[in-house]
């Protein structure tokens, strides 16, 4: 996956997280673990971007 693809997915995941949080604040989500899973996806994308950044500096 290219860096641009990861950035796109990261942006989509961040938007999804905001939507999930707002929906959960208004009415409880059927599966609140979706919020946790989305946060973990964001962390994975950021970790991969950081790894590529460090490899590029070598």
């Amino acid at each position: 996956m290219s860096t641009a693809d990861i950035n796109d997915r990261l942006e989509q995941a961040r938007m999804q997280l905001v939507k999930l949080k707002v929906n959960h604040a208004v009415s409880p989500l059927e599966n609140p673990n979706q919020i946790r899973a989305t946060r973990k996806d964001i962390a994975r994308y950021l970790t991969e971007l950081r790894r590529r950044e460090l490899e590029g500096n070598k």
Side-chain angles (χ1 to χ4, degrees):
M1 190 180 318
S2 72
T3 303
D5 291 338
I6 293 174
N7 281 325
D8 289 340
R9 288 185 183 213
L10 176 62
E11 188 61 33
Q12 289 174 358
R14 284 181 171 163
M15 288 188 306
Q16 181 182 4
L17 180 62
V18 170
K19 288 178 185 177
L20 286 171
K21 285 183 175 182
V22 169
N23 288 341
H24 188 62
V26 173
S27 65
L29 291 176
E30 190 172 308
N31 184 6
N33 289 329
Q34 290 174 332
I35 294 173
R36 181 183 297 166
T38 304
R39 281 197 330 253
K40 286 184 179 185
D41 288 341
I42 291 170
R44 286 184 189 107
Y45 295 139
L46 291 173
T47 300
E48 179 61 23
L49 288 173
R50 178 68 176 151
R51 185 186 66 80
R52 289 181 185 197
E53 178 183 324
L54 292 175
E55 284 181 357
N57 290 338
K58 289 184 179 181

